[in-house]
Amino acid sequence: MADLDRLRRLLSGEDTAWLLDRMRRRLANGKPLSGVVTLTSVTQDQRRAVERLLGRRAGTGTSLTVSLDELDTVLRRSGAAPDGLVDAVRLLIGAVPERAVEVAAWSAVYVPLDELVARRPVLGVWRTWLDATGMVRKLAPDPETASTLIMSVVQVLAKLPSDGVGLGRLAAQTTGDAHGLDDGRPLTTLVLSAARVLAGSPPTGDGSAAERRAAWAAVGVHRDELSSSVLCLGLPGGTGTVTGRMLSLAREGGEPCVLTLRQLGQIDLEVGRGLVWVCENPSVLAAAADELGPECPPMVCVNGQPSAAVWRLLDLLAADGAQLMYHGDFDWGGLRIGNALRERIPWQPWRFDAAAYQAADVTGGELTGRPVDATWDRDLRPALERRGVRVEEELVLPALINDLRTNVS
């Protein structure tokens, strides 16, 4: 039980009236009693009163700063207010209006999110979306439930993006429940919206299972080892594993091959330090198969945002010393995919720089979306902004096929 007489001696005097008033206003505005408050033009009596309150020196100078978190701890430990600062202020100034209490409680819910965004500014778009839609309140009926939900969101996002992890394993690691990130759960809704933003997309999807799978894949999460796959062509393979033999047969027949994440566990690639041509769209790989057949050099298609299987195959190739050549769409989405690849594996541009864009004598669609720098070519973004036209891989397909034809080993 709080010691009201002691609280009055500590906080209701003339020299601490400013502090009590600041806390009253915070509660009235629905803000939590945390952080700091500062008084300028402080008197010596006001400084000494705070020193008696905190049990320590309170600095020097013309201003005085008080940590409300420290004050809360002092009041709890001293026994003056075992239930903390909010209870102490309520005892001294009277009942706080219920609406203000509710607002304060909801405001406290979002503090971990604000701290997360401070660490990862890229999530600012997601945070703004949460406020604009009221999504957290839609998913959680009260501040207590919402606080638990938000803490789980922060724990999951601390693991993303991943180098490759199963959805069930991620859920078990972060929530203690292998089904904690199943479709339809409030936690999944919030985490998926953040995952889309981490991948450079808007926080909302189209609601389809394919879109959700792609959103998870964009941050390195696969729903299972069979649903994540990668399209390739011309990889030599080998005789030591089933997957290696599959690749060898596909190359012999000049046919594209789809590999699942499961099949990439142990694999012979036999590419070594040779060239591997990486494209964004399946149409490029299909055209290469049609034009070059068994003579096509090794190719991999990332098929938009790379899946866990794509990452796994590219990692294996890079680890063996393969030289990766990458081409993507000349639009903002294409640049984001290129940036994501370059953050993880080394690659060289394959007609995917400012010079190639400017030389592309084609008529593409209007360039739309949020601009982004190309980490491999600082001139590419300005070139796209000046021209304002997107150039998809299909529009420069003859040049790409010719490169492949002239680089047959």
Side-chain angles (χ1 to χ4, degrees):
M1 180 178 293
D3 188 336
L4 184 56
D5 289 339
R6 189 176 178 189
L7 283 175
R8 285 171 176 161
R9 290 196 301 273
L10 290 171
L11 283 169
S12 290
E14 179 181 348
D15 295 322
T16 54
W18 71 273
L19 180 57
L20 188 59
D21 182 62
R22 296 288 183 87
M23 293 188 290
R24 177 191 61 77
R25 281 189 282 169
R26 284 202 175 197
L27 289 178
N29 291 327
K31 296 181 179 179
L33 295 188
S34 61
V36 299
V37 292
T38 300
L39 176 67
T40 58
S41 302
V42 63
T43 67
Q44 286 301 317
D45 288 339
Q46 288 171 327
R47 188 180 299 279
R48 282 194 292 269
V50 169
E51 289 175 344
R52 288 193 297 271
L53 181 60
L54 299 179
R56 63 168 178 79
R57 292 289 302 275
T60 59
T62 60
S63 64
L64 175 63
T65 297
V66 177
S67 166
L68 298 182
D69 299 291
E70 180 185 2
L71 179 55
D72 179 81
T73 300
V74 168
L75 293 178
R76 290 178 186 272
R77 288 179 176 175
S78 69
D83 292 328
L85 188 55
V86 173
D87 184 61
V89 174
R90 185 181 296 112
L91 287 170
L92 293 172
I93 68 174
V96 179
E98 288 299 317
R99 175 60 181 164
V101 173
E102 181 185 2
V103 171
W106 276 107
S107 180
V109 165
Y110 293 95
V111 170
L113 288 183
D114 294 332
E115 293 173 348
L116 174 64
V117 172
R119 297 190 300 270
R120 305 177 70 177
V122 67
L123 289 170
V125 172
W126 171 67
R127 178 70 178 86
T128 300
W129 175 79
L130 290 179
D131 282 344
T133 60
M135 185 58 65
V136 174
R137 290 201 182 205
K138 292 178 182 178
L139 297 172
D142 55 72
E144 184 177 358
T145 304
S147 181
T148 301
L149 175 61
I150 291 302
M151 292 307 299
S152 295
V153 170
V154 172
Q155 289 173 346
V156 177
L157 291 181
K159 300 286 188 179
L160 301 179
S162 167
D163 289 340
V165 64
L167 182 61
R169 183 177 180 184
L170 175 65
Q173 289 175 342
T174 55
T175 72
D177 178 3
H179 296 284
L181 291 169
D182 284 357
D183 289 342
R185 296 201 175 190
L187 177 59
T188 308
T189 298
L190 295 182
V191 172
L192 260 183
S193 60
R196 293 183 183 103
V197 171
L198 288 175
S201 301
T204 54
D206 62 16
S208 68
E211 188 280 328
R212 292 193 298 274
R213 185 180 298 110
W216 282 122
V219 290
V221 180
H222 56 86
R223 297 176 70 93
D224 58 70
E225 290 186 327
L226 297 179
S227 63
S228 181
S229 62
V230 56
L231 180 63
C232 56
L233 173 66
L235 292 180
T239 60
T241 64
V242 172
T243 304
R245 293 194 292 273
M246 288 172 55
L247 287 173
S248 181
L249 286 171
R251 185 189 192 192
E252 183 180 339
E255 287 296 326
C257 186
V258 178
L259 299 179
T260 65
L261 183 61
R262 178 184 176 90
Q263 291 168 322
L264 290 167
Q266 295 294 327
I267 183 174
D268 295 329
L269 295 173
E270 296 193 358
V271 172
R273 300 184 62 82
L275 285 176
V276 176
W277 303 82
V278 185
C279 60
E280 180 181 341
N281 298 288
S283 56
V284 177
L285 191 142
D290 290 340
E291 295 282 338
L292 305 176
E295 299 301 316
C296 186
M299 291 189 70
V300 176
C301 175
V302 302
N303 197 13
Q305 290 290 346
S307 67
V310 170
W311 285 124
R312 172 65 176 162
L313 179 55
L314 294 180
D315 284 341
L316 288 170
L317 290 165
D320 282 347
Q323 302 174 57
L324 304 179
M325 306 293 294
Y326 180 68
H327 188 280
D329 290 334
F330 284 111
D331 58 21
W332 303 127
L335 267 59
R336 287 189 176 87
I337 294 171
N339 288 338
L341 290 169
R342 201 168 182 84
E343 285 179 4
R344 181 158 167 173
I345 54 175
W347 58 264
Q348 295 300 314
W350 171 22
R351 294 183 182 268
F352 199 40
D353 52 22
Y357 175 68
Q358 292 164 341
D361 187 18
V362 295
T363 302
E366 180 183 0
L367 183 65
T368 59
R370 180 164 53 90
V372 62
D373 292 328
T375 57
W376 64 94
D377 183 358
R378 65 182 182 181
D379 296 326
L380 184 51
R381 172 177 175 171
L384 263 70
E385 290 178 318
R386 284 193 300 270
R387 187 174 178 184
V389 172
R390 71 174 188 272
V391 177
E392 296 163 332
E393 283 188 302
E394 291 83 355
L395 296 178
V396 294
L397 197 52
L400 299 179
I401 296 300
N402 188 60
D403 289 340
L404 297 172
R405 181 177 287 110
T406 57
N407 281 277
V408 173
S409 58

